[in-house]
Amino acid sequence: MWQKRRVSPSLLLKMAYAQQQLGHYPAALLYLSLAQARQPRVRTWRQMAAVAARHRLVGYPATWQQELRVQAQRYYYPALQILLGGAVVGAIWLLWRRGPRGAWLGYAAYVALLGAYLHWLRPTPVGLVAHSGAALMAGPSAGAAWLSTAALGDRLLVLGRQDIWCRVEWQRKVAFVRASDLLVVE
């Protein structure tokens, strides 16, 4: 399932429920995260937050702001399709009608807003800590300063990758964790 990524969100939710009933909370969180990445739903997020709170994990805020982010993610791609379609139709219309300079400036502003939409609202990949005791380091090196130890199932925002290290957000700071200790869900 992990490698092929050809499963429906409903099957992922069923797998999460089964793993949760068996007491395997890291697997349940993984399946819930995969379902959330495929089809963002507030109900799925609340379930993830409840499981995480039960096991005292970090990275699962149960706030109205997070629920608002989930709703924005839910409609991100449909809205992007509409906005890109509008940009194509606008460009064709301006080229066909040989629009005045003011129309081109309006189109440029529309494309700039579209770029801002793409940049600021894009979904960010998250990583679930796959091994208990994963070290969070200050730099991408085993010799860097040790910051903390992540628990199995902690959720970290992935900011990038450097060699065998993932750059993550931890307590509003940048930290590094080995890529082999993290399952990245996009």
Side-chain angles (χ1 to χ4, degrees):
M1 279 177 54
W2 179 253
Q3 306 240 337
K4 293 185 181 181
R5 299 177 189 221
R6 293 185 183 168
V7 293
S8 69
S10 62
L11 178 61
L12 290 168
L13 292 173
K14 289 175 186 175
M15 293 294 293
Y17 178 75
Q19 292 298 322
Q20 193 172 352
Q21 293 303 314
L22 292 172
H24 302 146
Y25 75 91
L29 286 172
L30 174 64
Y31 289 126
L32 286 168
S33 295
L34 289 171
Q36 184 71 8
R38 293 273 170 83
Q39 194 174 47
R41 299 273 190 242
V42 172
R43 189 177 340 147
T44 305
W45 178 259
R46 286 180 183 157
Q47 182 65 28
M48 287 171 53
V51 170
R54 210 172 301 125
H55 296 282
R56 296 186 182 142
L57 300 175
V58 298
Y60 302 90
T63 62
W64 66 269
Q65 294 97 337
Q66 180 61 31
E67 290 184 6
L68 190 61
R69 279 188 209 102
V70 169
Q71 287 294 359
Q73 288 173 350
R74 181 177 181 181
Y75 298 110
Y76 177 78
Y77 289 111
L80 181 61
Q81 289 174 341
I82 291 169
L83 291 172
L84 288 173
V88 169
V89 168
I92 291 171
W93 184 81
L94 284 172
L95 288 172
W96 181 52
R97 301 286 291 182
R98 298 179 195 253
R101 184 179 184 107
W104 281 103
L105 290 175
Y107 180 74
Y110 178 81
V111 171
L113 288 173
L114 178 61
Y117 179 84
L118 282 168
H119 180 70
W120 294 107
L121 294 177
R122 73 179 181 272
T124 56
V126 295
L128 298 176
V129 176
H131 300 108
S132 59
L136 293 166
M137 309 297 282
S141 165
W146 175 83
L147 297 174
S148 183
T149 302
L152 181 65
D154 278 350
R155 182 177 176 268
L156 306 168
L157 292 178
V158 178
L159 304 173
R161 189 175 172 137
Q162 289 179 291
D163 197 22
I164 63 168
W165 297 89
C166 284
R167 192 173 73 233
V168 297
E169 183 179 316
W170 174 75
Q171 293 184 348
R172 298 186 184 201
K173 298 180 202 169
V174 174
F176 292 85
V177 65
R178 286 189 187 266
S180 59
D181 290 337
L182 208 61
L183 293 173
V184 178
V185 178
E186 297 182 47

